[in-house]
């Protein structure tokens, strides 16, 4: 029977190139010295980039280039309320709690992107919700985070309704394996006055040069209305995103 180690290296590279990138790094790399060298080398990743119709002649590190070009995806799950409150944990349900509504909503404006159809809305006491992203589970292995330290870009969108004032806050933390805070961004408490234009506003922050050890991103946002009206007159949020970028 043909043993894997007797295959010509070029053939082995072709086989490995068809394996999902995360599996290459987390499993195949550990099989033996030869496989580790292939996964750490450029040839495999060049082939992977080319077969994925990716090409970047000057990429210093094909492995990082492959991952970061493939991975420019939103790591926040259910960012627009299409799955109710699924994937959002540590929820603080002040007043009448979180609710999901269809855009544009009462006294609201359409969202700048046609792909967004819903939003989360807060009540008359603080409503907060959070999501913790496990970077390793998403395919960003330790060495990449520690050495390359790719940018972690955080974005959120918020709006008031034109007949009510409200408050909004965003807090994002980069956490270690033991969930120590290695970097943090906290917006001020943003006040939207009553009789506002109900326009959607984007807030963003980019983490870079944050040092080694980052394994999780904790995203939390929330708000309330300032009139203490029963129901859902507080800040509206949607289209939250966390991306890892080269």
């Amino acid at each position: 029977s043909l043993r894997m180690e007797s295959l010509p290296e070029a053939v082995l590279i072709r086989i490995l190139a068809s394996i999902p990138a995360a599996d290459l790094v987390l499993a195949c790399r550990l099989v033996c010295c030869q496989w580790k060298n292939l996964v750490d080398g450029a040839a495999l990743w060049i082939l992977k980039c080319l077969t994925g119709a990716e090409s970047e002649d000057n990429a210093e590190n094909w492995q990082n280039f492959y991952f970061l070009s493939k991975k420019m995806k939103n790591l926040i799950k259910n960012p627009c309320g299409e799955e109710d409150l699924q994937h959002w944990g540590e929820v603080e349900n002040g007043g009448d709690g979180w609710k999901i509504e269809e855009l544009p909503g009462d006294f609201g404006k359409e969202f700048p992107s046609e792909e967004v159809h819903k939003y989360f809305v807060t009540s008359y006491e603080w409503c907060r919700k959070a999501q913790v992203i496990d970077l390793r589970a998403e395919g960003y292995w330790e060495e990449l985070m520690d050495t390359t330290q790719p940018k972690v870009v955080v974005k959120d969108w918020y709006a008031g309704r034109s007949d009510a004032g409200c408050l909004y806050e965003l807090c994002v933390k980069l956490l270690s394996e033991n969930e120590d805070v290695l970097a943090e961004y906290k917006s001020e408490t943003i006040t939207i006055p009553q009789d506002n234009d109900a326009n959607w506003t984007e807030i963003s922050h980019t983490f870079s040069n944050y040092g080694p050890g980052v394994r999780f991103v904790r995203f939390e946002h929330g708000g309330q209305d300032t009139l203490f009206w029963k129901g859902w007159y507080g800040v509206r949020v949607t289209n939250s995103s966390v991306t890892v970028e080269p």
Side-chain angles (χ1 to χ4, degrees):
S1 64
L2 182 65
R3 294 168 63 86
M4 282 294 267
E5 51 266 38
S6 67
L7 286 173
E9 200 153 272
V11 176
L12 187 52
I13 284 175
R14 282 199 170 275
I15 294 169
L16 290 174
S18 67
I19 292 171
D23 296 333
L24 284 175
V25 173
L26 299 176
C28 300
R29 192 171 174 274
L30 309 179
V31 169
C32 63
C33 242
Q34 184 194 18
W35 285 33
K36 178 184 183 296
N37 292 336
L38 290 178
V39 173
D40 288 347
L44 168 62
W45 297 95
I46 290 171
L47 181 62
K48 208 155 174 47
C49 290
L50 296 175
T51 52
E54 313 273 2
S55 94
E56 176 84 356
D57 293 336
N58 305 321
E60 285 172 24
N61 184 329
W62 281 97
Q63 193 179 23
N64 290 351
F65 168 71
Y66 171 83
F67 261 89
L68 296 173
S69 61
K70 281 284 193 221
K71 288 272 178 190
M72 294 271 288
K73 64 168 189 178
N74 186 6
L75 301 176
I76 292 276
K77 296 179 172 70
N78 186 26
C80 306
E82 294 291 346
E83 301 170 77
D84 203 45
L85 279 164
Q86 208 174 337
H87 304 296
W88 292 98
E90 303 178 47
V91 175
E92 189 176 324
N93 271 311
D96 288 320
W98 284 98
K99 187 186 179 196
I100 287 107
E101 293 179 348
E102 298 270 345
L103 278 156
D106 293 340
F107 294 88
K109 291 263 177 77
E110 284 293 355
F111 192 77
S113 160
E114 288 177 10
E115 285 148 34
V116 178
H117 305 292
K118 295 181 179 181
Y119 58 83
F120 303 90
V121 57
T122 58
S123 190
Y124 58 87
E125 286 171 353
W126 272 96
C127 296
R128 290 185 176 88
K129 61 187 177 68
Q131 217 173 106
V132 177
I133 296 159
D134 179 339
L135 292 167
R136 191 160 184 261
E138 294 289 350
Y140 303 100
W141 64 102
E142 286 91 338
E143 199 181 343
L144 177 79
M145 296 307 299
D146 295 348
T147 309
T148 306
Q149 291 179 34
K151 292 196 280 284
V152 178
V153 181
V154 178
K155 296 180 180 175
D156 200 20
W157 289 82
Y158 64 90
R161 41 186 290 162
S162 58
D163 62 342
C166 60
L167 305 175
Y168 166 82
E169 276 179 13
L170 171 66
C171 178
V172 186
K173 298 173 180 176
L174 304 186
L175 305 175
S176 72
E177 190 73 51
N178 304 323
E179 304 202 1
D180 300 317
V181 179
L182 302 181
E184 180 176 9
Y185 167 75
K186 201 172 194 311
S187 73
E188 57 188 346
T189 302
I190 294 165
T191 304
I192 299 174
Q194 196 172 1
D195 303 321
N196 66 87
D197 58 14
N199 281 337
W200 285 93
T201 301
E202 184 183 41
I203 182 171
S204 72
H205 177 77
T206 299
F207 291 97
S208 55
N209 303 320
Y210 38 76
V214 171
R215 301 293 177 261
F216 301 96
V217 181
R218 186 182 186 280
F219 179 105
E220 181 186 298
H221 62 180
Q224 66 169 91
D225 79 12
T226 48
L227 301 168
F228 305 101
W229 287 349
K230 184 160 175 58
W232 296 273
Y233 294 84
V235 73
R236 300 164 169 188
V237 294
T238 195
N239 208 36
S240 314
S241 67
V242 172
T243 52
V244 178
E245 304 188 0

